[in-house]
Amino acid sequence: MKKPLKSWLLASSVAALLAAPAVSTANSDLEKLTQNPANWASWGGDYAGTRYSKLSEINATNVKNLQPAWSFSTGVLRGHEGGPLVVNDVLYIHTPFPNTVYAIDQKTQSVIWEFTPTQDADVTIPVMCCDTVNRGLAYGDGKIFLQQSDTVLTALDAKTGKRVWSVQNGDPKLGMTNTSAPLVVKDKVLTGISGGEFGVRGFLAAYNINTGELAWKGYSMGPDKDTLIDAKKTTTWKDGKVAPVGENSSISTWQGDQWKIGGGTTWGWTSYDPKLNLIYYGSGNPSTWNPVQRPGDNKWSMSLWARDADTGAVKWVYQMTPHDEWDFDGINETVLVDQEVKGQMHKTIVHFDRNGFGYTLDRETGELLVAEKFDKSVNWATHVDMKTGRPQVVSKYSTEQNGEDVNTQGVCPAALGSKNQQPVSYSPQTGLFYISGNHLCMDYEPFEVSYTAGQPYVGATLTMMPAGADVMTGKPDGTTNLGQFTAYDAKTGKIVWSNKEQFSVWSGSVATAGGVVFYGTLEGYLKAVDAKTGKELYKFKTPSGIIGNVNTWEYNGKQYVGVLSGIGGWAGIGIAAGLDTGEANSNSEGLGAVGAYRSLSSFTKLGGTLTVFTLPSN
């Protein structure tokens, strides 16, 4: 006898619910944690990567009274990127190599547990580009996830620090390393790979949070079966509309099999839209830095991706800088906000690229809505053609047209971008994005290079210098500031205000309901500015230069602000790795950064410290 339809549906629903918790619990748990502003449970504060806090105890009126509450030495030198996680009153911090993790009791500021993985420094450190940084931890399903430098992804019990499982995500002997912060989505933890300067082919991988088993892996370039692109269903922006990418859209833009060593690595940040069940991220520069050796658009390096969280299948992909000639890496964070653009509401994705353009797209379809410069000194392209989506390159600054062994001078921005990996913040109060930026130009000389597995595959010599132009207008003004902190309207592509900084702002910011935005400087200052006007309201000098991201949370009814200081990263590599010899011929060391930041050593020195701030008690 057949069951009545109603009974069958009820039985099926119950069965589904019984089967679902393993898939949905981690996801719903993390969502609940991020909705409570007392926590800071993921790199971006929430799945959308807004880095916005609803906390308002610290506000534009009283932030001037902010004081250090306590500090903690990490015991590790080199650059401290990323920021602290706070989950159910426990604070978790990380270090650069050797990637020690600390769980800290906020009441006593004592260490609950610590974990230091075993890694081969002789193998891993030599193939880590631009310092031995790590960009942070992830939390989900009662576990802390650490992406080790040697590519091993490790799950730790959040209460005890004991290793639950670990999995090898790549091979350091081939130049593969990892610096990114993972992200937990449903029953999976997502991570990428580093090593574009060693000819590593980039990918995003999803591992089961309970077992470490690989669920799916999608490459940045290669045949459709590798990229998880469907030639008919996956779309891109072309001819003023979204259209199918076509069969093997990647390998048709590479010469021969060069896509196999094509770069497009994924060492940045990942965002997630639970309603659309799509994850978003950017892929990096193509290998080598010498564009003459890799004719074609080199898809899908330098691209924004929307993938199905369950399968990795690509919904849409958009290439920002086809055939990148300047190392304008595309891994910067993607922020998901709903905005009205040109009179119509859109679920948007906003991305500020190293190439100096801020992109606003519809995150459901991949439609290009806005593409404008967020630093007007950018000169390598005049604008982005909104119909084709392609930047209009200025011949004078084309390193390919000028040729190998020719020094192309005065390209703006420099290779480290108008903004590097340091994530922006967004305030729904003002509708503005707050950009920690660089303000540099460069000379770029490509040369022929051959590929050898595990050896540098760069093929260009760079030197960098101040842009010497106004951020708002692009007109030469003779200034020597290497950075700025900028407020930008992604609905219109307009710069609202911009504050000059002596050195690059390499710290991720946080915006709050108190009308304040916090960020750190390379000299070591924690700064607070008015979200509407940019007026500086507070600053405090921490023990070392700040390249970490400022986070905020609540404990025992009080709002706290915390940041890791510890100079390093690409901008501080001269200090961190001891590359600054003081000689003129060392200007191109550190992939061009040493010369531009030589004076930084007069303002700060090495040392890793977490500094926590709060308002004084009444």
Side-chain angles (χ1 to χ4, degrees):
M1 180 178 177
K2 291 183 179 181
K3 290 184 179 181
L5 179 60
K6 184 176 181 180
S7 300
W8 183 86
L9 288 173
L10 179 61
S12 298
S13 298
V14 171
L17 286 171
L18 290 174
V23 174
S24 62
T25 299
N27 198 62
S28 58
D29 180 41
L30 187 56
E31 277 195 90
K32 289 178 181 177
L33 286 169
T34 59
Q35 288 166 5
N36 180 357
N39 299 303
W40 192 274
S42 68
W43 70 265
D46 53 29
Y47 270 137
T50 62
R51 299 190 55 79
Y52 174 76
S53 172
K54 296 177 182 177
L55 296 177
S56 59
E57 179 192 2
I58 301 170
N59 56 54
T61 300
N62 63 22
V63 68
K64 63 185 178 183
N65 300 320
L66 205 63
Q67 294 179 353
W70 57 276
S71 61
F72 179 86
S73 174
T74 68
V76 180
L77 304 180
R78 304 293 291 248
H80 283 60
E81 289 184 347
L85 292 187
V86 180
V87 180
N88 295 328
D89 291 341
V90 177
L91 193 151
Y92 301 92
I93 61 172
H94 63 286
T95 74
F97 191 93
N99 306 138
T100 299
V101 180
Y102 296 99
I104 299 176
D105 184 324
Q106 292 193 76
K107 182 178 180 180
T108 61
Q109 295 96 54
S110 60
V111 176
I112 300 171
W113 56 259
E114 66 180 277
F115 172 84
T116 302
T118 300
Q119 301 182 79
D120 190 333
D122 293 336
V123 173
T124 303
I125 291 179
V127 291
M128 293 194 76
C129 166
C130 320
D131 205 6
T132 61
V133 297
N134 181 284
R135 296 188 176 86
L137 308 166
Y139 174 85
D141 192 41
K143 303 179 185 68
I144 292 292
F145 295 91
L146 166 68
Q147 181 55 80
Q148 298 173 197
S149 299
D150 63 359
T151 80
V152 172
L153 177 65
T154 296
L156 304 172
D157 185 291
K159 291 183 179 180
T160 66
K162 292 183 178 179
R163 188 176 68 86
V164 179
W165 56 258
S166 60
V167 62
Q168 191 85 34
N169 189 50
D171 186 352
K173 292 181 180 178
L174 299 179
M176 298 181 186
T177 54
N178 270 100
T179 58
S180 60
L183 183 72
V184 172
V185 173
K186 295 187 177 181
D187 62 339
K188 300 175 180 65
V189 55
L190 306 170
T191 188
I193 198 75
S194 306
E197 281 61 57
F198 291 82
V200 171
R201 181 168 62 130
F203 59 81
L204 193 73
Y207 293 93
N208 184 282
I209 57 174
N210 295 310
T211 65
E213 181 182 0
L214 180 67
W216 55 260
K217 178 187 286 189
Y219 283 90
S220 301
M221 60 269 302
D224 291 344
K225 64 180 179 64
D226 288 4
T227 59
L228 306 184
I229 284 175
D230 185 308
K232 295 180 179 179
K233 294 181 179 179
T234 302
T235 60
T236 191
W237 182 254
K238 55 184 177 181
D239 299 325
K241 60 183 179 181
V242 291
V245 295
E247 187 175 2
N248 287 325
S249 56
S250 172
I251 58 176
S252 63
T253 66
W254 291 86
Q255 188 175 62
D257 288 341
Q258 193 168 15
W259 55 268
K260 294 181 179 179
I261 53 172
T265 49
T266 47
W267 50 274
W269 314 92
T270 306
S271 303
Y272 173 57
D273 186 328
K275 292 181 179 179
L276 298 177
N277 198 36
L278 294 175
I279 55 174
Y280 303 88
Y281 67 99
S283 54
N285 58 284
S287 299
T288 150
W289 287 17
N290 179 359
V292 178
Q293 291 185 243
R294 45 172 174 79
D297 278 356
N298 309 137
K299 292 179 174 14
W300 292 97
S301 66
M302 304 299 300
S303 300
L304 295 179
W305 298 77
R307 289 185 183 270
D308 182 278
D310 297 326
T311 65
V314 182
K315 175 72 180 297
W316 60 260
V317 59
Y318 167 69
Q319 189 174 42
M320 296 164 292
T321 314
H323 187 62
D324 173 33
E325 305 173 40
W326 311 268
D327 184 41
F328 290 155
D329 221 324
I331 59 82
N332 290 353
E333 72 291 342
T334 54
V335 187
L336 315 181
V337 296
D338 297 347
Q339 301 179 99
E340 182 178 317
V341 182
K342 299 175 183 176
Q344 183 176 346
M345 283 299 299
H346 291 269
K347 293 179 181 295
T348 68
I349 176 175
V350 177
H351 169 87
F352 298 94
D353 199 66
R354 289 236 303 250
N355 70 15
F357 286 89
Y359 295 87
T360 305
L361 293 88
D362 186 298
R363 67 178 182 269
E364 291 186 277
T365 66
E367 176 188 357
L368 181 62
L369 302 172
V370 179
E372 296 289 345
K373 297 175 183 179
F374 59 94
D375 182 339
K376 297 297 184 182
S377 70
V378 171
N379 64 13
W380 69 276
T382 56
H383 65 285
V384 172
D385 184 310
M386 295 302 291
K387 185 175 181 179
T388 65
R390 299 179 70 93
Q392 302 302 290
V393 177
V394 177
S395 297
K396 177 181 178 181
Y397 302 115
S398 170
T399 65
E400 171 159 330
Q401 291 183 41
N402 292 338
E404 289 181 336
D405 303 316
V406 174
N407 191 21
T408 299
Q409 297 181 317
V411 181
C412 307
L416 45 68
S418 293
K419 191 190 86 66
N420 205 266
Q421 55 75 37
Q422 55 274 32
V424 301
S425 57
Y426 168 78
S427 171
Q429 292 182 334
T430 63
L432 301 178
F433 290 80
Y434 300 95
I435 308 167
S436 302
N438 311 309
H439 191 56
L440 292 89
C441 300
M442 66 177 173
D443 297 344
Y444 191 111
E445 183 175 343
F447 58 84
E448 185 176 354
V449 62
S450 59
Y451 173 77
T452 301
Q455 297 300 312
Y457 186 52
V458 178
T461 301
L462 282 64
T463 55
M464 304 182 191
M465 68 289 297
D470 183 74
V471 174
M472 306 282 285
T473 66
K475 295 180 179 179
D477 62 3
T479 54
T480 59
N481 61 295
L482 299 176
Q484 70 268 333
F485 190 70
T486 300
Y488 178 94
D489 186 341
K491 300 183 296 295
T492 62
K494 302 294 184 183
I495 300 170
V496 177
W497 52 258
S498 188
N499 295 345
K500 295 177 181 178
E501 288 288 351
Q502 182 175 358
F503 298 103
S504 294
V505 184
W506 212 264
S507 159
S509 61
V510 62
T512 73
V516 178
V517 185
F518 294 94
Y519 67 94
T521 73
L522 279 182
E523 309 99 296
Y525 285 106
L526 173 76
K527 289 192 174 185
V529 298
D530 187 288
K532 294 180 180 178
T533 66
K535 179 182 178 182
E536 187 175 299
L537 304 173
Y538 174 83
K539 70 176 181 178
F540 178 89
K541 186 77 177 288
T542 64
S544 185
I546 298 176
I547 64 169
N549 305 329
V550 188
N551 295 345
T552 187
W553 63 90
E554 187 177 78
Y555 175 68
N556 276 351
K558 285 184 66 68
Q559 183 180 355
Y560 290 84
V561 175
V563 67
L564 287 166
S565 58
I567 193 63
W570 192 356
I573 190 65
I575 300 175
L579 300 178
D580 187 357
T581 65
E583 301 294 330
N585 60 8
S586 70
N587 285 347
S588 61
E589 291 290 329
L591 296 175
V594 167
Y597 296 93
R598 175 158 285 131
S599 62
L600 181 59
S601 61
S602 298
F603 294 85
T604 191
K605 299 297 179 183
L606 294 172
T609 304
L610 170 72
T611 308
V612 177
F613 301 80
T614 193
L615 292 172
S617 300
N618 294 330

